[in-house]
Amino acid sequence: MNRARNRTSFVRDTTDRKNLFLLVQLRWLAVVGQIVTILIVHLQMGIRLPLLPMAAVIFVLVALNIASLIQIRRSSAVSNTQLFLELLIDVWALTLQLYLSGGASNPFISLYLLQVALGAVLLEAWSAWALVLVATAGFTWLIGTHQPLPLPPAYEGELFSLHIQGMFICFVLAASLLVPFLTQINRNLRARDAYLAELRQRSMEEAHIVRMGLLASGAAHELGTPLATLSVILNDWRRMPSLMADPDLAEEVAEMQNQIDRCKSIVSGILMSSGEARGEGTVRTTVKGFLDGLVEDWLSSRSPGRFDYDNTVGPQERMIADLALKQVLFNVLDNALEASPDWIAVAALRQGDNLVVAVNDCGPGFDPAILEELGKPYRSTKKRPGSGLGLFLVVNVLRKLGGTVTAKNRAAGGATVTLTLPLSALSPGGSDGDD
């Protein structure tokens, strides 16, 4: 659960960093727009403006942008409070510029709506409403308090026309900025929501795996007693001359003992993989040796009509033997054998920094619906209880190790299941994927 919360926090931080970067870009445009507007009004139109205090406000916005970019590049977390404070500074800067250029009569007063719209999308509810109150207070203050804008004699009779032109420019500017920036912000938020939904799905699947692990461990404990009882009975039978005098019966008793020993080995493997058997310790080996031994173990108890095996992984690749990974490959091979008893082909190779294992068969292939939902539990065309858990476990174990599983139907008939796993996850001290 803590891991899921950390992932959720990380996703939100990433989204807020992207949104902060968009806010920085918008502020650069605002700085450029203010400079251009001030120069046109002051130089071309001859309307005298207090250039020094206006330049100081622009300097504050530039400094804020530089500080924001430094934080983004350092990958620091961005909180709702920081976004709120940055938008407050933007509202403050707009209020000061309007105060220095006519107050509420300035046609660019409508730019308050741009700040409010950004706050509504970027901020939590309480801070968005707080921004609305601050913007409203600024507007109200500007109605009665501002520095008058002295117009040259040439413009004294055209005040209304100038105001309409300014309002038009303000409308076009605000609309042109809102559409692309709000669209990108919404795209960031949708991407975050989609990723959070995926994390919730993964959390449910991991909880399902934990329950299965508990059930498997419990079943292994329960099976220990009857298996031990059967082993004792068979040992007694092997000491009975009347039974051992029959060669066929003696052979069957020996085979039964072998199968019981195999069941004991499987039970021990379940307990070891669940962390309950500690005696053997960590087994260090090579990738090539691990795969060769795995195939040999699998073939010792299965009998495919034809089995082609090609392992080109170099002998220098070290790894720690993982019972879970061994069971994953057993599941894939068992599924292939069930679909194609006559032929199975396994190819293992190194591809860059990844280990790639491809299992091919000549069976009927996958149903298109199964391929679309590969790795979902209980997605199977087999009509028996519990079907579909094999690939579900394969996909989740590989994903925990940072790998992937893909499946496709072969043009010549049959299917190919490809397991891709980073070698760093297998080596001593390797990472745990998304752990």
Side-chain angles (χ1 to χ4, degrees):
M1 292 299 294
N2 289 333
R3 190 177 301 159
R5 281 195 293 269
N6 291 337
R7 290 174 182 169
T8 302
S9 176
F10 172 77
V11 172
R12 177 167 181 81
D13 289 341
T14 302
T15 303
D16 286 341
R17 284 178 62 242
K18 291 179 181 178
N19 291 337
L20 176 59
F21 184 69
L22 288 174
L23 190 59
V24 167
Q25 291 178 305
L26 182 60
R27 195 176 292 125
W28 284 128
L29 292 176
V31 166
V32 173
Q34 289 181 33
I35 294 174
V36 171
T37 303
I38 291 171
L39 291 177
I40 291 176
V41 172
H42 189 82
L43 298 179
Q44 182 177 340
M45 299 180 66
I47 301 175
R48 298 185 63 82
L49 296 173
L51 296 181
L52 191 58
M54 285 186 156
V57 174
I58 294 175
F59 176 78
V60 171
L61 292 178
V62 171
L64 177 62
N65 257 9
I66 293 174
S68 299
L69 287 174
I70 291 174
Q71 181 177 11
I72 292 172
R73 290 180 179 177
R74 287 179 177 175
S75 299
S76 302
V78 176
S79 64
N80 175 77
T81 302
Q82 180 179 347
L83 290 174
F84 176 55
L85 292 176
E86 296 222 2
L87 284 172
L88 279 182
I89 294 175
D90 288 335
V91 171
W92 166 83
L94 177 61
T95 302
L96 283 183
Q97 295 291 42
L98 293 173
Y99 167 79
L100 296 170
S101 56
S105 63
N106 191 312
F108 288 95
I109 192 77
S110 299
L111 288 178
Y112 274 126
L113 290 175
L114 177 62
Q115 304 298 331
V116 170
L118 290 173
V121 177
L122 292 176
L123 303 177
E124 296 176 6
W126 71 266
S127 44
W129 281 110
L131 189 68
V132 170
L133 293 176
V134 171
T136 303
F139 196 129
T140 305
W141 180 69
L142 289 172
I143 293 175
T145 307
H146 60 270
Q147 291 189 10
L149 197 63
L151 294 176
Y155 292 106
E156 287 183 356
E158 302 180 9
L159 181 60
F160 182 74
S161 176
L162 288 175
H163 188 79
I164 294 298
Q165 292 176 27
M167 289 179 61
F168 175 75
I169 294 173
C170 179
F171 168 77
V172 173
L173 178 64
S176 300
L177 292 176
L178 276 175
V179 171
F181 279 91
L182 291 186
T183 299
Q184 184 59 47
I185 289 171
N186 280 326
R187 187 177 295 118
N188 292 341
L189 295 176
R190 285 196 300 270
R192 182 193 67 185
D193 292 342
Y195 188 66
L196 288 176
E198 182 183 354
L199 286 181
R200 284 192 293 269
Q201 178 64 29
R202 288 190 182 186
S203 179
M204 292 173 59
E205 292 176 354
E206 289 174 4
H208 191 74
I209 291 175
V210 170
R211 289 196 299 271
M212 291 174 58
L214 291 173
L215 290 173
S217 178
H221 279 297
E222 295 294 330
L223 287 172
T225 300
L227 287 175
T229 302
L230 288 174
S231 182
V232 170
I233 293 173
L234 287 176
N235 283 328
D236 290 341
W237 285 3
R238 295 176 71 176
R239 294 190 184 96
M240 296 175 64
S242 59
L243 292 179
M244 293 300 100
D246 187 340
D248 293 336
L249 189 57
E251 184 179 350
E252 290 180 356
V253 169
E255 179 61 25
M256 291 170 65
Q257 184 64 57
N258 289 336
Q259 295 302 319
I260 289 177
D261 291 340
R262 184 185 167 206
C263 290
K264 286 182 177 180
S265 176
I266 293 172
V267 168
S268 298
I270 293 174
L271 294 175
M272 184 175 295
S273 62
S274 65
E276 297 187 25
R278 306 284 184 182
E280 295 188 11
T282 300
V283 179
R284 297 175 182 267
T285 181
T286 63
V287 176
K288 185 177 182 65
F290 174 78
L291 293 175
D292 290 347
L294 180 147
V295 168
E296 183 178 351
D297 289 345
W298 186 80
L299 288 174
S300 66
S301 56
R302 280 82 165 177
S303 301
R306 176 182 170 186
F307 187 83
D308 296 332
Y309 175 58
D310 182 23
N311 185 354
T312 61
V313 181
Q316 73 279 3
E317 302 297 342
R318 310 294 299 177
M319 71 171 288
I320 294 177
D322 189 337
L323 287 174
L325 181 59
K326 181 176 181 179
Q327 189 59 52
V328 159
L329 292 168
F330 269 32
N331 282 346
V332 176
L333 291 171
D334 286 342
N335 283 344
L337 179 62
E338 187 173 355
S340 172
D342 297 328
W343 177 76
I344 297 175
V346 177
L349 67 151
R350 174 170 181 166
Q351 197 171 77
D353 294 329
N354 296 323
L355 169 67
V356 178
V357 179
V359 179
N360 298 278
D361 64 63
C362 59
F366 286 101
D367 187 274
I370 301 298
L371 290 177
E372 290 178 4
E373 298 185 321
L374 185 70
K376 301 296 181 182
Y378 306 113
R379 302 296 198 275
S380 175
T381 55
K382 303 170 186 175
K383 304 300 182 182
R384 59 174 191 260
S387 296
L389 284 177
L391 276 178
F392 167 70
L393 293 173
V394 169
V395 169
N396 278 276
V397 170
L398 264 289
R399 186 172 62 195
K400 293 292 290 180
L401 293 172
T404 59
V405 179
T406 59
K408 64 178 182 180
N409 291 325
R410 301 169 64 238
T416 299
V417 176
T418 304
L419 288 70
T420 304
L421 192 62
L423 290 167
S424 60
L426 302 175
S427 61
S431 64
D432 245 358
D434 52 18
D435 274 348

